[in-house]
Amino acid sequence: MSYTDYCIDVSFTIKDAMKCIEMVKPKIVFIIEDKKLKASLTDGDVRRFLLAGGALSDFAIDAGNKNTLYAENMAGAMELYHQKNYVAIPILNDERELVDIYIGEKNRVGKQEPLNIPVVINAGGKGTRLEPYTKILPKPLIPVGEMPIVEHIMQNFMEYDCEQFSIIVNYKKDLMKAYFSDCDKKYDITWYDEDKPLGTGGGLCYLKGKIDTTFFFTNCDNLLLSNYGSMLRFHKENKNVITMVCAYKNIVIPYGVVDMGINGSINSMEEKPELSFLTNTGVYIVEPEVLSDIEDETPIGFPDIVKNQMEKGRKVSIYPVSENEWLDMGQLSELDKMRERLYGE
């Protein structure tokens, strides 16, 4: 990979820049104009900009760090990089033109920061969107590569030392329990049986008095490749009772879109426009006091629980992630995409 793969033009929008950031490792790009360095941009910079009211259509330079640390040669870049474990050090010539980037001898992947908080997984649904597979297996046990999706989710959390799992089950729950009882790897799981379907949030009533600390809550059909430590810090710093993790979704309309005015006049035309919006990933960070507001044995979706908390005047916020950080297994068309992302197959 060339250093130019980390460079974007000053004309790029936030949406353009996000796509570029996803293609490189480490996740940083440098904004240039006529070869001159103008700013650096990370996914964290983008997130802060959007949370402050910025739009995907704004210029990336508006979100960038214009005081980027740089070196004048490779030796200087290496020295700076290792002083404080920087992500990347751009190298500029006398005209402030970017001529190289030092990103370390290799991309290092180490153990994530320990978070040590409980994880609750809602795994009771029938998974009708995944029929006919779910006629045989419960959705959480549908394999993606070498293991079922629920085990991918659990191991992802375990990278952060989140090893205490509460799993709410209903449909084909005996198969779920049998799988983990025979699993070579032993997990710390407490099972909660729904007597009737309680939606994506109602099953949390069983955890009243069982959890007294901040916890992750997730559906069983998605996987986030984001930094859970950053999510938790955001949640705590903003004093949220619930943080909803949402992903930017970009969809290209495969047609020319026409806006009609009075008497059939044409107001505007756009060929194959791309729509961008935030969508709920089904992953949340939740404070334990939320549990006390959930009625026993009453079906409710977790988005409705979110609304109820907002109506009570409690703080709920969105933590945005990019589309490529969210792997959704809720529909058949996404299974192969998830397998390719996880295993490169």
Side-chain angles (χ1 to χ4, degrees), residues 51-67:
L51 287 170
L56 291 175
S57 58
D58 291 338
F59 288 113
I61 188 71
D62 295 335
N65 174 17
K66 299 178 180 64
N67 297 312

Side-chain angles (χ1 to χ4, degrees), residues 14-85:
I14 293 290
K15 183 167 66 175
D16 297 330
M18 288 175 67
K19 294 177 182 178
C20 295
I21 290 172
E22 284 302 318
M23 296 174 63
V24 295
K25 187 177 181 179
K27 302 298 184 184
I28 186 171
V29 293
F30 295 92
I31 303 171
I32 60 174
E33 183 178 24
D34 296 328
K35 299 183 180 180
K36 291 180 171 59
L37 178 66
K38 294 299 180 180
S40 61
L41 186 72
T42 66
D43 56 350
D45 294 327
V46 170
R47 185 174 296 112
R48 285 186 289 273
F49 180 76
L50 294 172
L51 287 170
L56 291 175
S57 58
D58 291 338
F59 288 113
I61 188 71
D62 295 335
N65 174 17
K66 299 178 180 64
N67 297 312
T68 304
L69 188 71
Y70 68 92
E72 297 178 351
N73 51 54
M74 184 59 71
M78 293 174 68
E79 182 178 356
L80 285 173
Y81 180 92
H82 294 291
Q83 277 180 1
K84 292 186 179 181
N85 196 25

